Amino acid sequence: LKTYKTIKNIGLEGSQYGDGRPISAIATSHHTIGGIPMIATGSWSGTIKLWDGSSPELDFLSQKTMAHEDRIMGIALGPSLDPNGAGSSNIQPSSSMILATASIDLTAKLWKVSTLSEGYDTQNENNKFQIQEINHLKGHERRLCKVAFHPQGRHLATTSFDHTWRLWDVETGNEILLQDGHWKEVYGVGFHPDGSLCSTTDFGGVVQVWDLRTGKSIHHFLGHAKRVLCTEFSPNGFQLATSGDDGFIKVWDLRKRKQFASIPAHSNLVTQIQFDRYHNGEFLVSTSFDATAKVWSTRDWTMLTTMRGHEGKVMGVDLLKDSIVTCGFDKTLKLWR
């Protein structure tokens, strides 16, 4: 109840002009570098930027210009990787993390974000962190859409207009699974909290659920009238939320394999949905081309609040422990608390 009261009173706390072109993707991480909660953005200019999530002013931390040759469509911050787990032995959990990007230039890339080291060319004297490319993931034949890290952090999923989604090894950059079970362009991707399942969506309105132990589809959901652009598993493990062009958020019961709820959420296409990761999935946030972000109770799927502040399409959303961050076509990122 305290969480719901806080959400209902949420307001715009900070706004930052983030790029000369629309900001198309935003991501946060559970982990910090040097105690700083990171926000990463990707834009149509192909630039990656990092921001301080603890600052109401969203202080600039670092950037990588020309990270891609064309628009960045997807971005994700991975976990801090321990030296004995995934990643190379020089990745220290206290000083670095992995970032992934996907672009319409046909590639995805993996980057190491870390504290500055002597002799590193920062591109910008104001950079407080370094962003180094560590793997270039090539294989998709058409533009890429979204990226998502597996919960264990050792694998990365990518989706593409080439009708496939692929799974990559984070340490080596090798492709370990190519799945062509969609007949239309594949867009959204998300992992089950326990890492056993993956969900993907396509422009034909189909939502697929895959068993990662076999690499095979175990179920598909039909119900959206148009393209499905986003898919997210609930932290409770037995619900899946999807959304897209039709403006609806649909919630699917994974145990009964049927639709649980259908919410007429927005008056235009929904660009992203995100479950709250810090309060046991008590709410879900959605963003839309209708210039709003909305927060929904996952108890009864009623709307808790509408966040208005972007001048135009809201392109993405993610959550920090005590706040929500959004990015938009208006070239800004915003902090709501």
Side-chain angles (χ1 to χ4, degrees):
L1 292 175
K2 183 180 178 182
T3 300
Y4 283 0
K5 185 177 180 181
T6 301
I7 287 296
K8 287 181 178 179
N9 294 325
I10 198 167
L12 179 62
E13 180 156 308
S15 182
Q16 179 72 265
Y17 180 75
D19 200 87
R21 300 205 67 197
I23 302 175
S24 44
I26 192 166
T28 64
S29 174
H30 287 291
H31 305 272
T32 64
I33 301 180
I36 298 175
M38 287 280 177
I39 301 170
T41 57
S43 74
W44 280 15
S45 67
T47 299
I48 300 167
K49 290 188 180 181
L50 302 177
W51 312 87
D52 184 348
S54 67
S55 162
E57 294 79 26
L58 293 166
D59 291 339
F60 170 83
L61 296 176
S62 191
Q63 71 175 352
K64 187 74 174 181
T65 58
M66 298 295 292
H68 283 275
E69 296 175 5
D70 214 321
R71 301 175 186 177
I72 293 174
M73 298 304 295
I75 196 165
L77 278 166
S80 297
L81 303 178
D82 69 82
N84 298 315
S88 58
S89 60
N90 64 347
I91 298 176
Q92 300 298 325
S94 60
S95 61
S96 66
M97 66 176 63
I98 303 297
L99 183 150
T101 51
S103 169
I104 67 174
D105 68 4
L106 309 188
T107 70
K109 293 183 180 181
L110 288 165
W111 310 84
K112 179 182 176 182
V113 178
S114 57
T115 52
L116 288 176
S117 60
E118 188 176 349
Y120 176 74
D121 179 9
T122 65
Q123 293 187 332
N124 185 321
E125 62 182 12
N126 296 319
N127 282 356
K128 299 177 178 64
F129 292 87
Q130 58 191 25
I131 306 170
Q132 297 170 293
E133 183 181 330
I134 55 174
N135 269 316
H136 197 149
L137 311 179
K138 296 181 179 179
H140 283 291
E141 297 173 0
R142 295 181 65 188
R143 59 185 286 181
L144 276 74
C145 303
K146 298 297 179 182
V147 288
F149 280 98
H150 186 273
Q152 291 183 346
R154 295 179 173 86
H155 302 109
L156 180 82
T158 57
T159 60
S160 169
F161 273 32
D162 65 8
H163 298 193
T164 74
W165 69 275
R166 304 181 190 217
L167 201 62
W168 310 81
D169 184 285
V170 168
E171 181 178 1
T172 65
N174 292 334
E175 179 187 294
I176 57 176
L177 176 68
L178 186 162
Q179 182 51 258
D180 57 1
H182 286 273
W183 66 282
K184 286 283 190 177
E185 294 89 337
V186 188
Y187 202 89
V189 63
F191 286 104
H192 191 278
D194 70 8
S196 64
L197 304 175
C198 179
S199 173
T200 53
T201 69
D202 70 28
F203 281 9
V206 178
V207 180
Q208 294 272 18
V209 180
W210 310 85
D211 185 336
L212 291 175
R213 292 161 291 195
T214 63
K216 296 180 179 180
S217 175
I218 56 172
H219 195 68
H220 68 272
F221 293 109
L222 299 173
H224 284 283
K226 298 180 181 179
R227 301 181 302 176
V228 190
L229 304 177
C230 29
T231 178
E232 288 289 329
F233 286 95
S234 168
N236 66 26
F238 57 84
Q239 289 178 326
L240 176 73
T242 58
S243 201
D245 271 10
D246 60 10
F248 278 78
I249 296 172
K250 293 187 180 289
V251 184
W252 311 91
D253 188 318
L254 295 170
R255 296 172 298 186
K256 297 180 180 179
R257 299 193 176 190
K258 66 178 184 179
Q259 182 176 291
F260 178 79
S262 182
I263 308 154
H266 291 273
S267 60
N268 207 327
L269 73 84
V270 179
T271 50
Q272 194 165 357
I273 52 177
Q274 191 69 251
F275 277 101
D276 154 51
R277 300 187 295 261
Y278 299 96
H279 307 94
N280 299 315
E282 285 287 314
F283 59 88
L284 177 139
V285 188
S286 59
T287 54
S288 170
F289 273 16
D290 68 8
T292 70
K294 295 183 179 182
V295 186
W296 308 87
S297 165
T298 55
R299 296 183 184 182
D300 55 10
W301 298 104
T302 56
M303 189 177 70
L304 296 173
T305 191
T306 299
M307 297 178 286
R308 292 182 174 89
H310 283 282
E311 297 177 6
K313 304 168 184 174
V314 189
M315 305 292 279
V317 64
D318 211 340
L319 286 84
L320 293 165
K321 189 172 183 179
D322 60 352
S323 55
I324 296 170
V325 290
T326 56
C327 66
F329 207 78
D330 59 5
K331 308 169 189 175
T332 70
L333 64 152
K334 299 186 186 295
L335 180 74
W336 309 81
R337 184 176 284 146

